[in-house]
Each structure stands twice: as structure tokens, then as C-alpha cells.
Amino acid sequence: MSTHYYFSWFNDFFPKKLIKLLHEDIQVKKSLVMISGNPSDYTGEKINFDDMSEWTWLNQANIIFNEYHFVDYRMQKVDARRLIQSASVIFLCGGDPVLLNDFLAEYELSDVIKNSNAVIMGASAGALNMAAKWLSSINSGYKVETSTIYDGIGTDHFAYESHAKRNYATFVQGYLFPLSEEIDVYAAEQESAIRVKDGNIEIMGPIYLISHSKIQKLVETL
């Protein structure tokens, strides 16, 4: 069973205890495949990984790969699927969660990712789309006319929320309560992570479980 990481956002680098776990879990470092959270933004031939926070987090943690690949609309669908199938680590990057969701559907990548034996991780918009469901809210900072529940990849059976700089005061207002009536929601503040390994959910940083419209702060277990 694959290991999954859901990151909110880290303003600097990965915390030391998270780095230790990543080194334990990422035993094979043949290839890192990063999936763009803004897949139509780039027009040049190459991506500058130094400009990407997600790449910087891994590099600063001394998690180095033999090959690096960046997947967006510039890549052919068949090549994207092939690279993901052979990846050691798949990283769904931050960006616009709706655009990322559209890209995953258009390129038929969800099942390829879900069935992979790679370590799968996502940050912000990427983490939302890893989950079974997520909410695109009119309060999320993106230009959406109505709040919409999206189906994610479903690497694990829960909903995830990590948008902007939300915190308990925002979550307790209840905009996630309707979604929590149909599936458990893990709502994450900045500087937090969820690790799912062998089906066990472990927590680092400020994360809240919202279930049937009740909210509780979870105890750190990482």
C-alpha cells in the first residue's frame, strides 16, 4: 500500500520531524514527477525547479532524485501517464484546485496516480485533489460563483481542506459542515501535514476533524 502525504503549506521548509519521516518512506529515488497546480500557465520549454516551493522543500531536505519531470499541458497525455506509472514519488503541486481537477480528468491521470506504488504527496490544491472530495468555496479566494463539491483522486476516503490562510475561527463558521455530513473532513491550517501509511492517519501541526457538523482539534501523532 502506498504512503500518502497531504501538506497544507510551508512558508519556509519542511520541519525536521517531517524530513525524518520522508527519508524513511522514500526509499527509491529514481524519479520525481511533479504535476502542476496551474497546468496551463507555462509556455517555455523548461521549468525552473528552483522557483518552485515544493521542489525547494524536498531539495532542502536532501531528498534528491535521479530524474525530475514536470507534468502540465505542454506534455502529451501518453507521456504524462507513462512517467507517472514509473515514478518513485508523485507530487501534486499547489495552484488552482479547479484547474488541476480539470487537468487530471482531461489527461485521465486519477486512476494512474491512485493505483501507483509511489509515495504520493500534495500541497494545498494538490492535497485537495488527492482526497476523495473537496469544496470549492466562494470564500476560497478564487473566482467561483457558487460553492461546489468536487471529486478528487480518492487516494484516501476523506475530504480535505487547505486554502489560503484559514484557521479554526474560519472552519468553525461552518462552511464545511454540509460536506462533513457525507464524509469526514480534515481541515488544515498552515504548517501542517497528514501522513497516511498502511491506512493509518497521522497528524502534524494544527488540523481539525469535522464530522457530522462537529469540529475537534486533533492531537499531533507525528
Side-chain angles (χ1 to χ4, degrees), residues 72-209:
D72 62 9
Y73 278 114
R74 295 172 299 173
M75 183 177 287
Q76 293 295 316
K77 175 178 167 180
V78 64
D79 293 329
R81 290 170 61 87
R82 175 180 54 81
L83 288 170
I84 289 169
Q85 285 172 336
S86 61
S88 308
V89 173
I90 301 166
F91 202 142
L92 289 91
C93 298
D96 185 317
V98 176
L99 294 181
L100 176 55
N101 190 271
D102 290 344
F103 177 66
L104 294 170
E106 187 175 337
Y107 269 51
E108 299 177 313
L109 298 180
S110 292
D111 284 345
V112 180
I113 295 169
K114 188 175 180 179
N115 295 327
S116 171
N117 291 320
V119 174
I120 304 169
M121 54 184 69
S124 191
L128 264 66
N129 277 289
M130 281 176 60
K133 291 182 182 293
W134 57 275
L135 177 69
S136 174
S137 169
I138 56 176
N139 300 315
S140 65
Y142 295 101
K143 294 179 180 178
V144 294
E145 295 181 358
T146 59
S147 293
T148 305
I149 294 173
Y150 283 84
D151 289 326
I153 294 168
T155 48
D156 298 288
H157 187 68
F158 55 72
Y160 183 79
E161 169 68 331
S162 173
H163 262 170
K165 294 182 178 179
R166 299 190 181 180
N167 54 27
Y168 177 79
T170 309
F171 300 140
V172 81
Q173 291 174 11
Y175 73 98
L176 291 166
F177 288 177
L179 178 57
S180 79
E181 291 294 331
E182 58 178 282
I183 191 170
D184 286 350
V185 182
Y186 287 85
E189 291 189 24
Q190 299 281 83
E191 308 290 331
S192 67
I194 296 174
R195 178 202 199 202
V196 184
K197 185 169 186 176
D198 299 326
N200 296 317
I201 298 173
E202 298 173 288
I203 301 297
M204 189 199 79
I207 294 180
Y208 308 88
L209 173 62

Side-chain angles (χ1 to χ4, degrees), residues 5 7 13-34 49 54-68 88-91 119 121:
Y5 282 91
F7 304 133
F13 304 115
F14 284 147
K16 288 183 179 179
K17 57 185 176 181
L18 180 56
I19 291 173
K20 182 175 182 292
L21 291 170
L22 288 167
H23 276 282
E24 290 176 9
D25 290 335
I26 303 173
Q27 295 293 319
V28 179
K29 300 183 180 69
K30 182 178 181 294
S31 68
L32 169 67
V33 175
M34 307 189 82
F49 285 103
E54 297 92 336
W55 181 87
T56 303
W57 297 337
L58 291 170
N59 195 55
Q60 181 72 17
N62 197 33
I63 301 173
I64 309 299
F65 296 85
N66 296 335
E67 301 174 12
Y68 294 88
S88 308
V89 173
I90 301 166
F91 202 142
V119 174
M121 54 184 69

